[in-house]
Amino acid sequence: MRRCLALAAKKISVLFGGRPLLFPLMLAVLALLFYTVGEVNGAEHRAEAVITIVDESATEYSAALADAVTRTEGFTVRTAHTEEEALADIADGRSEAVLIIKPDYSEKLFMDEIAGAVKLMTAPGSAVQDLIRETVSGRLLAQRAYARVRESVKADGLDAAEFDRLCDEFEMPRIYKVASIGGGSGIGRAVFGQGFPGCTGFTALAMMLIMLTVTRMLSEASSKLAGRRLLALEGGRALGFVSDALACLTVTLSIAAVSFALSPDRSLALGLASAAYSLELTGLVLLVSRIVGAGRIDVASPFIALVTSIFGGCFADTASLSPALKTVSYFTPQGRFIAAASGAYHFAAIMAALGLVFACLALTAERKSEKA
């Protein structure tokens, strides 16, 4: 066992061209990339939507609109005196929208044409811009109805204060229910649906590309000749094959560990998926190194990694495409990894089993090449 581990350590150096320091350097560079991807793709969990209001009307009704938005659950309101100050809030990340109540707001509430009474601007890429837009629109329409009825009550000689009291006591019934239909469950849509992979997709691509690249060293004629010399030892074939597997598995697990440590979501599902994906990639690169020459791997590895990553769902949310594409993705290692990381544990078992199958096929191919 000690001899096997020592040989595996030597082969890790061989995978990186005889420069063992390239291995930790690669992990350090990947750590920086994984950290960057996590920061860019990680969703920010916000407890509230922040909006800046500029009240240019300064009337009873404009103040009531601002108060209605302020009292909305989940909203935090900032105030500004000018539009420039409000836009500065967005530029500095303190706010996600600006609501400007125009000077003629109170007059336009009673007109048939209310366009231009307010101006709403949202920050680019805001995750809650639809919520803000719909909330402000709802509050505006509700206040318009309230203002018109209130003025009608006053015109009829009734007590407007009593009308306001009754309005405050009235509890608006919920007349709608929001539900999401179609598209399957979160796990079922993990590859091409709501759970756009981001970090897991980048990890799947990086691991595939790196392992196909370093596999070239196992396909070199010198590496194959060294393996044949091991046949002179008792159990030499097993020693050579197992040490190759340990070297590749060490590299894949190291990359997976770095990715997991820097992932925004360090879940059990992601951990199992990373381990199973490492095992499948190990079996895959062992098989490729036995059946493909070094020169052809140099040409084929970027193409294989890119194409399988596209069909595996590493790059974009394509839920609008044919549902058949989601099924196709499960036939790629990357698609299985993303699905397993999203909670579909059976894909982790499939990846582990495929890794063992690929390893067995690699051993069979090695034996056939020796006889030839």
Side-chain angles (χ1 to χ4, degrees), residues 188-207:
R189 302 191 65 203
V191 179
F192 286 129
Q194 294 173 341
F196 168 55
C199 294
T200 51
F202 181 78
T203 299
L205 170 61
M207 290 180 66

Side-chain angles (χ1 to χ4, degrees), residues 50-54 56 82-91 95-102 118-126 128-130 132-133 136:
V50 184
I51 181 172
T52 299
I53 295 180
V54 180
E56 295 179 348
T82 64
E83 181 176 340
E84 290 73 19
E85 290 182 18
L87 292 176
D89 279 356
I90 289 184
S95 182
E96 294 181 88
V98 169
L99 174 63
I100 299 175
I101 304 176
K102 294 296 186 178
V118 299
K119 180 179 180 182
L120 180 65
M121 296 176 284
T122 58
S126 170
V128 294
Q129 58 181 335
D130 291 337
I132 293 175
R133 186 185 305 115
V136 171

Side-chain angles (χ1 to χ4, degrees), residues 350-370:
I350 292 174
M351 287 190 289
L354 285 175
L356 296 177
V357 170
F358 291 150
C360 292
L361 292 175
L363 183 57
T364 302
E366 184 179 277
R367 288 175 176 174
K368 287 184 177 180
S369 66
E370 290 169 2

Side-chain angles (χ1 to χ4, degrees), residues 12-370:
I12 291 176
S13 176
V14 171
L15 289 176
F16 291 92
R19 300 177 177 85
L21 289 179
L22 286 180
F23 182 33
L25 180 61
M26 176 205 70
L27 294 179
V29 173
L30 281 177
L32 178 61
L33 292 176
F34 287 138
Y35 174 78
T36 303
V37 171
E39 288 297 307
V40 171
N41 286 281
E44 182 180 357
H45 298 282
R46 303 185 67 98
E48 56 193 16
V50 184
I51 181 172
T52 299
I53 295 180
V54 180
D55 188 357
E56 295 179 348
S57 178
T59 60
E60 176 186 2
Y61 287 121
S62 65
L65 175 62
D67 181 63
V69 175
T70 302
R71 288 186 288 106
T72 302
E73 184 180 357
F75 272 65
T76 294
V77 173
R78 296 173 57 87
T79 58
H81 298 293
T82 64
E83 181 176 340
E84 290 73 19
E85 290 182 18
L87 292 176
D89 279 356
I90 289 184
D92 295 337
R94 293 190 296 265
S95 182
E96 294 181 88
V98 169
L99 174 63
I100 299 175
I101 304 176
K102 294 296 186 178
D104 55 352
Y105 172 76
S106 295
E107 290 78 12
K108 284 192 172 183
L109 275 180
F110 303 97
M111 299 180 182
D112 293 334
E113 180 60 51
I114 196 175
V118 299
K119 180 179 180 182
L120 180 65
M121 296 176 284
T122 58
S126 170
V128 294
Q129 58 181 335
D130 291 337
L131 170 65
I132 293 175
R133 186 185 305 115
E134 296 300 325
T135 299
V136 171
S137 298
R139 295 299 186 186
L140 177 60
L141 292 175
Q143 188 178 48
R144 186 188 188 201
Y146 161 77
R148 287 191 164 195
V149 173
R150 187 174 189 272
E151 291 303 314
S152 177
V153 166
K154 290 172 64 177
D156 291 340
L158 301 177
D159 187 0
E162 182 64 16
F163 174 76
D164 291 339
R165 186 186 66 80
L166 292 174
C167 285
D168 291 337
E169 293 179 355
F170 178 70
E171 186 173 339
M172 178 68 70
R174 185 175 294 275
I175 60 175
Y176 62 86
K177 180 180 180 181
V178 178
S180 177
I181 61 175
S185 64
I187 293 175
R189 302 191 65 203
V191 179
F192 286 129
Q194 294 173 341
F196 168 55
C199 294
T200 51
F202 181 78
T203 299
L205 170 61
M207 290 180 66
M208 173 69 77
L209 185 57
I210 290 172
M211 292 312 300
L212 287 177
T213 302
V214 300
T215 299
R216 177 188 184 280
M217 304 308 299
L218 294 179
S219 302
E220 291 281 359
S222 57
S223 297
K224 291 183 176 181
L225 288 174
R228 290 191 176 185
R229 286 196 292 271
L230 284 174
L231 296 178
L233 299 174
E234 182 180 355
R237 177 185 288 110
L239 178 62
F241 186 82
V242 172
S243 60
D244 280 354
L246 285 176
C248 293
L249 185 60
T250 299
V251 175
T252 55
L253 286 176
S254 298
I255 299 173
V258 172
S259 172
F260 181 82
L262 297 174
S263 173
D265 179 26
R266 291 184 289 275
S267 62
L268 174 62
L270 178 60
L272 291 176
S274 299
Y277 187 57
S278 299
L279 188 58
E280 180 176 0
L281 281 187
T282 297
L284 182 62
V285 298
L286 288 174
L287 179 60
V288 171
S289 67
R290 266 62 179 179
I291 62 178
V292 182
R296 282 177 288 178
I297 289 181
D298 279 346
V299 176
S301 58
F303 176 79
I304 294 173
L306 180 62
V307 171
T308 54
S309 294
I310 291 174
F311 284 101
C314 292
F315 297 116
D317 182 354
T318 55
S320 60
L321 300 182
S322 168
L325 189 57
K326 181 179 67 177
T327 303
V328 170
S329 70
Y330 294 145
F331 287 90
T332 67
Q334 296 94 321
R336 290 190 289 269
F337 170 58
I338 294 170
S342 300
Y345 293 103
H346 59 281
F347 281 106
I350 292 174
M351 287 190 289
L354 285 175
L356 296 177
V357 170
F358 291 150
C360 292
L361 292 175
L363 183 57
T364 302
E366 184 179 277
R367 288 175 176 174
K368 287 184 177 180
S369 66
E370 290 169 2

